[in-house]
Amino acid sequence: MPARIAATIVGLSISPIRGASDLDFSRKDAVAVPNSLNMSSIDNLTVPFGISKDQENFRLLELPPALLASITSANPPSLLLKSAASETGSGLNPQNHAVLCTDAQTFNVRQVQSSNSVFILHTSVDLLHDDPCTPDANVAAIAQCTSTLELIPPAITALAALRQTLPIYNLADHQNQSGLAAHFNESEKFGRHKAFQNTPTSQREFDDAWLESCAFELDRQAWIPSASSLRGIWTSITAAAAVKDIDLTGRFRVIDLVDIIEEDGFPNALFNAVIKRVSIANGSLISGWATVCSDKCVSWVGNILVNAQPMSHQAQGISESDFLTDWKDLLPEGWRKHVTLGALKGEYFQPSKGRLAFGGNTKDVSAAISNPNGKRSGKWHEKFKNTRR
């Protein structure tokens, strides 16, 4: 890179400076043009410009308008750069990338190369002939940026990121201690706080994902329960309510169900996580009492049944009537009328009349079943008819 350059920009003649030592880089003054100068004098104004020998390191970050307005407001949010811990990475590049988080939003950080020459300038102002109306402005490039960082929406949801961070809890593994002993030493355990540090999401998104997934801590280790464990503990909850004559559609004391739940082998921490997930109090238990939200509970139980289906059902499917019956049996009688396939939000498809299948990308699997040989249409014009105007 040459030590000095000269150019003409916006009618101003920019001449080489006498040397980098002529610039006072400690000063933060901007180039000022006196109001007394007329247009003809502006046309003849020269600004000495040079490139500093000692270049600094800068990264340019392009912000979305909404985020820019937020951080320049009277109460700007805190910003946090983070990524998934390398040891928890599953090989999926989207999770291992750096993200920028506010208190409630997450952005993937992407580097974009630029073919333009972008310089960071430093200015200083000296006075000539002791005349305060005639400033001598020096401009020097102290850095060159060949790329820009831009913020884009995250590639995966906060719930998916949390699932990739936390180990899966299965009741059978923990009853014989193989799940905990085989994978974790005391020094390797991490709780909720460290789980947040290792999950590339904002605090609010992490908290929402933690609540939605019924994540919990057991023996100083954070866990995310499997669908079969969630189905098992919900079955235990409904059975305990029947034994204790507790109406789950009304307000009840949480502690009244604990003893039976623990007899079935489920940890109290998982029980509390499930009750918080389906309660109307947005994840909090008020004075040990809880009220289950019917809409939350009906759809949540249906999704548990979907995710707990064995792999064999992903292909041939199961009877629709049997599935709906199992779903209703896990709900209080007054809520069974709300059981509809629409509450599953597209997490199923129908390979044939009266049968349901689950798992994977339902659209892709459904298309594969409707066209099992994977044959393409031999009529080329069929491929383009939808694009005709």
Side-chain angles (χ1 to χ4, degrees):
M1 183 180 294
R4 306 172 190 172
I5 62 174
T8 301
I9 302 178
V10 197
L12 298 181
S13 174
I14 301 180
S15 61
I17 62 175
R18 295 181 294 277
S21 61
D22 294 331
L23 292 180
D24 179 12
F25 292 107
S26 65
R27 300 183 61 177
K28 304 299 182 181
D29 309 72
V31 176
V33 178
N35 295 330
S36 59
L37 295 178
N38 55 35
M39 291 304 297
S40 61
S41 61
I42 291 179
D43 291 338
N44 296 324
L45 181 65
T46 62
V47 179
F49 176 82
I51 295 179
S52 174
K53 180 176 66 174
D54 297 326
Q55 293 284 286
E56 300 184 27
N57 294 321
F58 285 88
R59 300 302 299 270
L60 298 180
L61 177 62
E62 182 178 354
L63 300 178
L67 180 57
L68 177 61
S70 178
I71 65 176
T72 55
S73 64
N75 297 305
S78 299
L79 298 181
L80 180 65
L81 273 173
K82 59 188 300 194
S83 68
S86 58
E87 64 268 21
T88 64
S90 60
L92 299 177
N93 288 332
Q95 191 198 5
N96 295 331
H97 286 174
V99 296
L100 179 69
C101 300
T102 65
D103 296 335
Q105 286 183 291
T106 302
F107 302 91
N108 272 21
V109 180
R110 181 172 64 180
Q111 178 173 282
V112 179
Q113 295 298 126
S114 175
S115 59
N116 298 323
S117 296
V118 180
F119 293 96
I120 306 296
L121 303 182
H122 186 285
T123 65
S124 66
V125 178
D126 297 323
L127 298 180
L128 296 179
H129 313 297
D130 296 325
D131 183 0
C133 296
T134 312
D136 181 18
N138 296 327
V139 179
I142 60 174
Q144 182 178 10
C145 300
T146 60
S147 63
T148 302
L149 299 178
E150 66 177 13
L151 303 182
I152 59 176
I156 58 176
T157 64
L159 181 59
L162 183 62
R163 291 187 185 280
Q164 293 177 6
T165 301
L166 299 184
I168 301 297
Y169 174 89
N170 286 301
L171 178 62
D173 292 337
H174 286 260
Q175 286 178 332
N176 58 30
Q177 292 297 309
S178 64
L180 183 61
H183 298 289
F184 294 99
N185 297 320
E186 286 296 321
S187 60
E188 296 174 335
K189 293 180 180 179
F190 61 92
R192 176 170 179 164
H193 177 70
K194 189 172 181 180
F196 166 67
Q197 293 178 330
N198 293 342
T199 306
T201 61
S202 68
Q203 182 69 66
R204 183 181 299 178
E205 291 168 320
F206 176 86
D207 292 341
D208 290 344
W210 182 276
L211 176 65
E212 182 178 355
S213 63
C214 298
F216 65 101
E217 284 190 52
L218 178 65
D219 296 329
R220 299 181 302 282
Q221 171 62 46
W223 298 91
I224 194 166
S226 65
S228 59
S229 295
L230 290 175
R231 177 175 180 172
I233 193 171
W234 182 252
T235 301
S236 180
I237 290 173
T238 56
V243 170
K244 294 291 188 73
D245 195 25
I246 294 175
D247 182 10
L248 292 178
T249 65
R251 191 166 178 259
F252 61 93
R253 285 203 316 166
V254 176
I255 197 173
D256 292 339
L257 300 175
V258 170
D259 54 344
I260 296 181
I261 302 301
E262 291 182 340
E263 287 179 6
D264 289 340
F266 294 101
N268 188 40
L270 176 57
F271 168 63
N272 285 330
V274 169
I275 296 299
K276 290 178 181 179
R277 171 65 178 83
V278 297
S279 72
I280 64 175
N282 295 323
S284 63
L285 302 180
I286 302 175
S287 301
W289 291 79
T291 304
V292 177
C293 174
S294 60
D295 291 339
K296 285 184 182 180
C297 187
V298 170
S299 61
W300 179 76
V301 171
N303 279 276
I304 286 175
L305 291 180
V306 168
N307 294 316
Q309 295 299 318
M311 294 294 293
S312 59
H313 291 169
Q314 294 185 11
Q316 71 270 24
I318 62 173
S319 166
E320 177 180 338
S321 60
D322 290 345
F323 176 81
L324 294 176
T325 298
D326 291 342
W327 189 355
K328 292 177 181 179
D329 288 344
L330 289 174
L331 294 171
E333 185 174 353
W335 293 348
R336 295 174 183 177
K337 61 185 177 182
H338 301 303
V339 170
T340 63
L341 292 178
L344 298 181
K345 299 179 181 180
E347 294 192 12
Y348 72 96
F349 63 95
Q350 295 179 296
S352 60
K353 186 176 181 180
R355 299 194 68 78
L356 301 176
F358 315 95
N361 188 319
T362 56
K363 293 182 179 179
D364 292 344
V365 178
S366 180
I369 290 178
S370 63
N371 187 16
N373 296 324
K375 294 181 179 180
R376 298 182 179 180
S377 174
K379 299 179 180 180
W380 63 268
H381 55 82
E382 293 289 337
K383 302 177 183 179
F384 301 101
K385 67 180 182 179
N386 291 329
T387 62
R388 293 176 182 173
R389 297 183 181 275

